[in-house]
Amino acid sequence: GAGVSQSPSNKVTEKGKDVELRCDPISGHTALYWYRQSLGQGLEFLIYFQGNSAPDKSGLPSDRFSAERTGGSVSTLTIQRTQQEDSAVYLCASSAYTGGYGYTFGSGTRLTVV
Amino acid sequence: AQTVTQSQPEMSVQEAETVTLSCTYDTSESDYYLFWYKQPPSRQMILVIRQEAYKQQNATENRFSVNFQKAAKSFSLKISDSQLGDAAMYFCAYRNFGNEKLTFGTGTRLTIIP
């Protein structure tokens, strides 16, 4: 597609429920990233996928968070047993190159846990 | 670990005037990249400008330019001839050479006064 597409745009969920956030990167982009932006904060790295390599999961805050990327394209970020502190904007980005080029970001999913 | 500091939570500037946003960072690396991203209310992070640390010349993109002081670990953004469309959150970001993660500052909210 023309840009990075994320769905849903907004999600309200009850504490304890599981949620899935979807990211559809730009066609042909081999690198895909997830970041979290809590209220009033900068972006916090969560996970990075590059082609068929094992993902860099070093930023995932707990084992309730997981992500997968199917067929080297679409990615899903799953949060199990959501907590109120999980409320944030989850941003996805993709890149055609590694090594210093800027990413293309999506518009994010605003997750609210009530 | 690298850190990025933006000491100005909010800035305002008169339309058509010039404004400078500050950013400092801490790293022990010599090869890295620095970025300024703009985040309008749409939430999408938009790359404004990029600087490679090995380049002494300051990057420029139309009305946007940086003042990169490597020894001082300072990377400020100058916006000339400010326009209403420049109103947004601005984030400074750092990335090590060979590492895919971006480290962000906490952002500066820029208001343009008509």
Side-chain angles (χ1 to χ4, degrees):
Chain A
V4 176
S5 178
Q6 291 189 246
S7 61
S9 179
N10 293 283
K11 174 73 175 177
V12 179
T13 190
E14 291 181 352
K15 178 181 172 181
K17 301 278 191 183
D18 298 352
V19 295
E20 287 188 350
L21 312 180
R22 176 189 169 102
C23 173
D24 198 345
I26 292 174
S27 178
H29 279 194
T30 57
L32 186 147
Y33 315 80
W34 284 97
Y35 283 80
R36 178 169 71 174
Q37 184 177 21
S38 301
L39 184 63
Q41 300 296 313
L43 276 69
E44 170 192 17
F45 168 80
L46 295 178
I47 189 168
Y48 158 61
F49 296 89
Q50 173 59 49
N52 295 320
S53 302
D56 177 352
K57 305 179 183 179
S58 60
L60 295 179
S62 77
D63 59 7
R64 296 186 296 104
F65 288 73
S66 63
E68 62 177 18
R69 187 179 186 191
T70 54
S73 181
V74 172
S75 178
T76 302
L77 176 69
T78 301
I79 308 173
Q80 296 179 309
R81 304 180 303 282
T82 51
Q83 304 296 312
Q84 288 188 328
E85 61 262 29
D86 300 334
S87 296
V89 174
Y90 290 83
L91 287 158
C92 174
S94 69
S95 174
Y97 307 101
T98 58
Y101 289 85
Y103 312 152
T104 301
F105 280 87
S107 295
T109 295
R110 181 180 298 281
L111 176 66
T112 303
V113 182
V114 298
Chain B
Q2 291 79 26
T3 58
V4 177
T5 301
Q6 293 180 250
S7 59
Q8 306 155 315
E10 297 184 354
M11 292 280 286
S12 60
V13 63
Q14 209 69 37
E15 191 176 3
E17 296 295 309
T18 295
V19 65
T20 298
L21 308 184
S22 300
C23 173
T24 58
Y25 58 95
D26 187 23
T27 184
S28 58
E29 303 292 332
S30 58
D31 290 331
Y32 50 87
Y33 306 89
L34 295 164
F35 305 85
W36 278 98
Y37 279 90
K38 170 185 178 181
Q39 187 180 41
S42 68
R43 299 197 303 243
Q44 186 180 22
M45 300 285 281
I46 301 166
L47 179 64
V48 174
I49 200 164
R50 180 182 72 239
Q51 175 81 42
E52 290 89 345
Y54 65 86
K55 291 185 177 178
Q56 293 187 340
Q57 186 173 6
N58 289 322
T60 299
E61 290 286 343
N62 300 313
R63 298 183 294 107
F64 299 86
S65 62
V66 298
N67 184 1
F68 173 47
Q69 301 290 327
K70 191 172 184 179
K73 297 179 183 175
S74 172
F75 183 61
S76 61
L77 174 70
K78 186 172 82 170
I79 307 173
S80 303
D81 184 26
S82 298
Q83 300 176 0
L84 294 177
D86 295 333
M89 285 289 291
Y90 285 81
F91 290 93
C92 179
Y94 169 101
R95 181 173 173 178
N96 270 339
F97 179 79
N99 188 312
E100 297 305 314
K101 303 173 195 175
L102 282 171
T103 301
F104 286 85
T106 52
T108 296
R109 182 176 301 281
L110 179 64
T111 301
I112 310 297
I113 303 166

